[in-house]
Amino acid sequence: MVPSVPGVTSAWVVGSPGPLVTGPLRRAERPTPEPGPDDVLLRVRACGVCRTDLHLAEGDLPPRRPDCTPGHEVVGEVVAAGGAVRDVRIGDRMGVAWLAGTCGRCRYCRAGRENLCPASRYTGWDVHGGFADHLLADARFAYRLPEGWGDEEAAPLLCAGIIGYRALRRADLPPGGRLGIYGFGASAHLTAQLAVARGAVVHVVTRSPEAQRLARELGAVSAGAGPPPEPLDSAILFAPAGSLVPVALAALDRGGTLAVAGIHLSAVPPLDYDRHLFQERTVCSVTANTREDGRAFLSEAARLRPAVRVTRYALGQADRALADLAAGRITGVGVLVAE
């Protein structure tokens, strides 16, 4: 494969993390990297805007490298590839997600739990992400995308979809069970459709009237700001609010499980053992994903074709997209598209 590497990449970078009003995101130019043996260089066509990107910009996630470019729901076109990359051609479309690399040798990797690898690296946190013209990625951690999905539709599948898929697994929802979803943004609106397609009864808790309407459109039995109307077998907390942990646990039926899906959560209030945990209620976290999660979700998505509600922004509007996400002005998922 003959590489075709442009000399300069224009990107958004997190300079000094802080509140969005302080302007933590800024535009920058840097030399476009040459692919290593296992790498592909992609021209970015679309990149989803995730709450994790907001956490990085505002400093909830401590930056792991200076001037890092956020973005980990990336759809791109291959413009160059390393010598060890096989079955990839110039012009192929590929997807890049949150998990960017692992050691492949530790006990977690060997046991199929690579999401727990102590040496794991992440797109838009450890390595530059997709808020840019070009992205360098390890081809072993990139995905072939389902046919028939436009770039803007496909981008949210790569984090919102994959993480929601893993959260649903962790929630241990029984067949035909009752699932509560707390918060109804990018990941939740895809996860709800997956659960409904599997026969679940879905109840959504969100304060946003627009999100409530969307939840009902997508098959939720109820959607409101108050507690679910019946005890739940499982629940997923997507909102980064620790105050909702006891609320969600109290709504579980005996033996129910709450999965906390976010990478960041505000402080959790004290729990009352009898009310929140007794009768074998369980609370668990969700940590990143494995590549098998990604492949399994993309296969299921290709079959089910969940609706993806997209709010479109030009790449040059990344700061505005994050501001809209922080203010709750995006219903569904925001996506940056190449200019």
Side-chain angles (χ1 to χ4, degrees):
M1 182 178 297
V2 178
S4 175
V5 180
V8 175
T9 288
S10 176
W12 287 93
V13 301
V14 177
S16 298
L20 291 184
V21 294
T22 67
L25 277 186
R26 60 178 177 82
R27 296 300 291 267
E29 290 188 343
R30 58 173 177 260
T32 303
E34 296 275 352
D38 295 308
D39 296 332
V40 287
L41 180 68
L42 304 179
R43 180 179 65 83
V44 176
R45 290 168 27 173
C47 183
V49 180
C50 178
R51 189 163 291 276
T52 301
D53 302 318
L54 180 62
H55 292 320
L56 179 67
E58 294 197 310
D60 296 321
L61 291 182
R64 291 186 171 178
R65 64 178 299 169
D67 293 335
C68 188
T69 295
H72 54 274
E73 298 176 306
V74 188
V75 176
E77 176 185 338
V78 177
V79 296
V85 177
R86 299 289 181 261
D87 301 322
V88 172
R89 298 174 298 175
I90 298 292
D92 283 355
R93 188 175 76 150
M94 300 191 77
V96 177
W98 176 234
L99 186 66
T102 62
C103 75
R105 301 180 301 275
C106 70
R107 65 188 182 98
Y108 300 105
C109 288
R110 294 196 309 270
R113 305 175 73 193
E114 64 183 1
N115 61 308
L116 301 180
C117 173
S120 56
R121 297 178 298 124
Y122 299 97
T123 310
W125 195 16
D126 296 290
V127 299
H128 290 309
F131 286 19
D133 294 337
H134 297 89
L135 171 75
L136 189 68
D138 187 328
R140 296 168 296 182
F141 288 81
Y143 296 94
R144 295 288 188 174
L145 297 172
E147 297 295 328
W149 294 85
D151 296 339
E152 296 173 29
E153 286 182 299
L157 303 180
L158 292 160
C159 178
I162 293 172
I163 294 298
Y165 175 88
R166 185 168 185 87
L168 190 56
R169 282 185 54 199
R170 294 281 285 163
D172 198 22
L173 180 67
R178 302 156 295 175
L179 174 69
I181 292 179
Y182 293 79
F184 203 74
S187 193
H189 94 288
L190 293 172
T191 308
Q193 294 177 75
L194 194 62
V196 169
R198 292 178 177 183
V201 175
V202 175
H203 299 286
V204 171
V205 178
T206 175
R207 292 177 297 182
S208 165
E210 293 82 5
Q212 292 171 12
R213 284 193 290 271
L214 178 60
R216 295 189 191 98
E217 288 174 16
L218 297 179
V221 171
S222 73
E230 61 179 335
L232 304 173
D233 299 300
S234 304
I236 304 173
L237 175 58
F238 287 107
S243 60
L244 290 177
V245 169
V247 173
L249 285 170
L252 291 177
D253 206 345
R254 299 175 180 223
T257 298
L258 168 66
V260 181
I263 191 173
H264 170 77
L265 190 70
S266 60
V268 178
L271 300 178
D272 178 89
Y273 181 71
D274 286 341
R275 186 179 179 197
H276 301 131
L277 295 172
F278 191 56
Q279 295 173 336
E280 299 195 351
R281 296 181 181 91
T282 300
V283 59
C284 65
S285 66
V286 177
T287 300
N289 63 277
T290 67
R291 283 172 286 179
E292 181 54 36
D293 290 329
R295 289 187 286 264
F297 168 71
L298 291 172
S299 176
E300 191 161 355
R303 179 173 58 85
L304 296 177
R305 296 289 303 184
V308 184
R309 179 66 63 89
V310 169
T311 300
R312 184 181 187 276
Y313 298 86
L315 179 60
Q317 297 175 307
D319 51 353
R320 176 185 159 194
L322 281 186
D324 287 349
L325 178 62
R329 292 190 289 265
I330 296 177
T331 300
V333 57
V335 176
L336 306 179
V337 295
E339 297 170 274

